[in-house]
Amino acid sequence: MSHQPGVAEPPTVRRTELQRHPASVPGRLIVQTLFEIPVGLASGRHRHPGEEVGYLIHGVIAMEFNDRPTLTVHAGEPFLIPPGVVHNARNITADVTTMMLSTYLVDETQPLVTPCD
């Protein structure tokens, strides 16, 4: 499907990889991303093969988990998600795209993100 002039594309969640480097721990990678979630959208339930250390730059998210209470994260606050924990980041801001910086220390043989049902 091609883009038509004057027709707005629907908003989508966007993960932009900023850098990827071998870690000092053998078999691990450090990956850093900028993650943007438009109003009314969510990342979708997923997990990572290592730690996610994040910082919310803009907006408010509800970080939903299978095994613990939802965590509300506001702009200027950090968060940490342990390896393998299923989570979903939902933009709960009424009028802005949320932006977060996430850094992962992950197993180099696994995909960075594994979607979960």
Side-chain angles (χ1 to χ4, degrees), residues 29 32 57 62 70 102:
L29 286 174
Q32 190 171 56
I57 299 167
T70 296
S102 287

Side-chain angles (χ1 to χ4, degrees), residues 44-116:
R45 295 176 65 248
H46 64 282
R47 67 176 179 256
H48 307 284
E51 293 82 354
E52 177 181 359
V53 180
Y55 178 80
L56 195 62
I57 299 167
H58 194 66
V60 181
I61 60 168
M63 190 69 74
E64 302 163 342
F65 301 96
N66 284 357
D67 63 347
R68 61 192 79 188
T70 296
L71 174 66
T72 301
V73 184
H74 299 266
E77 294 179 343
F79 61 90
L80 175 85
I81 301 173
V85 170
V86 176
H87 58 287
N88 180 43
R90 182 175 306 285
N91 180 347
I92 58 173
T93 310
D95 57 354
V96 298
T97 294
T98 59
M99 294 176 61
M100 68 182 84
L101 182 65
S102 287
T103 303
Y104 307 87
L105 179 61
V106 294
D107 181 330
E108 68 183 5
T109 67
Q110 301 294 316
L112 179 61
V113 178
T114 301
C116 302

